Amino acid sequence: MVVLAAPSGGGKTTIANELRRRRPDIFGYSVSATTRKPRAGEQDGAAYHFLTREEFRRRVQAGDFLEWAEYAGELYGTLRAEVERVLASGRHVVLDIEVQGAQQVRRAYPRPASVSIFVIPPSPRVLIERLRKRRTESEQELLERLAIAVREVETARTDVPTRRVFDHILVNDDLDTAVNRVIELADAADGAKPGPDMTPLLAAFVKELEREADQLRQSARRST
Ligand code: ADP
Ligand code: 5GP
């Protein structure tokens, strides 16, 4: 199981899509369920299984989810059936999930059954630029996602010394390099050597992201 977690805009969907495109023989994607509305171009059953809140709750009660979490007011979850479908085909299953979900998966699939990778862009400014360019959120939603991102990167920072949840921190600068690294880590599973200590980088990232998000909040307030 290959878990990709990242702040929104970190690039996990892009990396997951590239893995499937390049190596469909070794990577399959678990299509999550969500209560959020589809974005333009998102197909039901491909990007997500789009469910109503009632249907999602019903499936939680039925035990259909391996993990689920609330993110920015919407529910997201990994369906056991999706994971089993991919694993049964003899491929790695790629999960693109937020941090609370990654914590749950780690408990259910301890190392080496899963490799868990936290992905960040090279800087908070690049993160914000990429989110803006994606054009999928309103300014208010973007601010909410940045506030969540601060907490997520902080969680990853405190996790580094114990590696309780994340095995690796991956900087998604050049896409090709990032995708190759994920392939390497998936192949090596528990055998991959941990890289350099990423604590200082993550600490600086959190500080800078807080500053950038604060500035954006203030300018949003001024313009209303
Ligand atoms: P996430 O799924 O983590 O929210 P996405 O995969 O949607 O993030 O990526 C956010 C935006 O950044 C997308 O528009 C994507 O095309 C772009 N992006 C992702 N990785 C890179 C990269 N390495 N270089 C440039 N742009 C990237
Ligand atoms: P988005 O709305 O941008 O598609 O996703 C919002 C967040 O929910 C992202 O961090 C994404 O990775 C996460 N997410 C997507 N599917 C799942 C899932 O099945 N479980 C959990 N816990 N998070 C998910």
Side-chain angles (χ1 to χ4, degrees):
M1 182 164 299
V2 180
V3 177
L4 298 176
S8 184
K12 55 198 174 310
T13 310
T14 307
I15 293 172
N17 286 340
E18 264 311 283
L19 290 173
R20 274 189 304 174
R21 195 183 63 80
R22 284 200 210 169
R23 298 302 306 271
D25 54 326
I26 51 172
F27 293 105
Y29 185 66
S30 160
V31 179
S32 292
T34 185
T35 60
R36 90 147 158 72
K37 299 280 164 290
R39 291 175 186 148
E42 283 184 335
Q43 302 287 328
D44 189 24
Y48 282 105
H49 298 287
F50 294 101
L51 305 181
T52 62
R53 213 160 242 270
E54 295 66 40
E55 179 66 1
F56 197 103
R57 289 280 178 207
R58 196 192 61 70
R59 299 197 67 169
V60 169
Q61 291 302 317
D64 288 355
F65 289 108
L66 173 64
E67 63 72 33
W68 67 275
E70 183 156 4
Y71 176 96
E74 301 291 351
L75 306 177
Y76 294 82
T78 303
L79 292 160
R80 291 182 195 282
E82 283 285 327
V83 170
E84 281 156 17
R85 173 182 61 79
V86 178
L87 292 180
S89 68
R91 293 172 298 164
H92 296 303
V93 58
V94 181
L95 305 186
D96 154 0
I97 60 181
E98 52 67 73
V99 166
Q100 305 165 73
Q103 290 165 333
Q104 296 173 51
V105 172
R106 189 23 51 99
R107 283 195 287 272
Y109 288 79
R111 218 177 273 122
S114 65
V115 58
S116 184
I117 304 167
F118 188 77
V119 182
I120 51 164
S123 71
R125 193 154 289 186
V126 172
L127 172 74
I128 294 166
E129 270 168 26
R130 287 184 186 169
L131 270 175
R132 282 203 196 289
K133 247 176 142 174
R134 194 172 73 182
R135 294 172 160 275
T136 47
E137 279 81 31
S138 67
E139 194 62 22
Q140 212 42 49
E141 286 164 343
L142 182 107
L143 289 174
E144 186 177 8
R145 282 175 177 240
L146 292 183
I148 297 171
V150 168
R151 297 200 294 273
E152 292 190 313
V153 182
E154 178 59 13
T155 302
R157 182 191 69 79
T158 57
D159 186 72
V160 165
T162 60
R163 293 174 75 224
R164 204 166 288 147
V165 180
F166 299 111
D167 301 306
H168 304 281
I169 309 291
L170 173 67
V171 178
N172 173 23
D173 189 351
D174 172 61
L175 182 62
D176 222 42
T177 310
V179 172
N180 286 335
R181 180 71 178 145
V182 174
I183 295 173
E184 208 176 280
L185 294 175
D187 279 345
D190 209 30
K193 282 201 206 84
D197 180 14
M198 300 298 265
T199 312
L201 185 144
L202 293 174
F205 197 104
V206 169
K207 250 187 165 165
E208 180 64 23
L209 183 57
E210 271 177 325
R211 195 166 39 235
E212 295 269 347
D214 235 34
Q215 277 176 8
L216 289 177
R217 250 192 310 276
Q218 281 171 22
S219 65
R221 243 183 259 128
R222 275 196 297 275
S223 66
T224 54

